[in-house]
Amino acid sequence: PPQRHIVIPADNTAGFPAGPATFTADGWAAAVHPVSPGQHTVGVVATFEGLEEPVNETFTLVVSPPKHS
């Protein structure tokens, strides 16, 4: 996702210094086997304290048929 700009409050539970900060995030997801061959659309919604709107991302997952040897 793109960089986000936030203001960290003085009473945050992580103990970070209060003030402005810039961050980005990464996450992982897994699909349970078997997923049929073809193209699948996966939607992810993440909410962050301090952001008014959730972050919505859509990904395309392309599954190839199994290769037989």
Side-chain angles (χ1 to χ4, degrees):
Q3 286 188 341
R4 305 272 183 205
H5 304 283
I6 61 170
V7 176
I8 299 173
D11 63 348
N12 70 83
T13 57
F16 294 126
T22 302
F23 76 99
T24 188
D26 193 10
W28 293 92
V32 178
H33 180 74
V35 178
S36 61
Q39 184 170 309
H40 305 273
T41 301
V42 179
V44 177
V45 178
T47 58
F48 297 92
E49 186 174 332
L51 284 182
E52 293 180 18
E53 297 292 324
V55 176
N56 295 293
E57 297 288 339
T58 303
F59 303 92
T60 301
L61 176 66
V62 179
V63 179
S64 299
K67 295 180 181 180
H68 299 284
S69 47

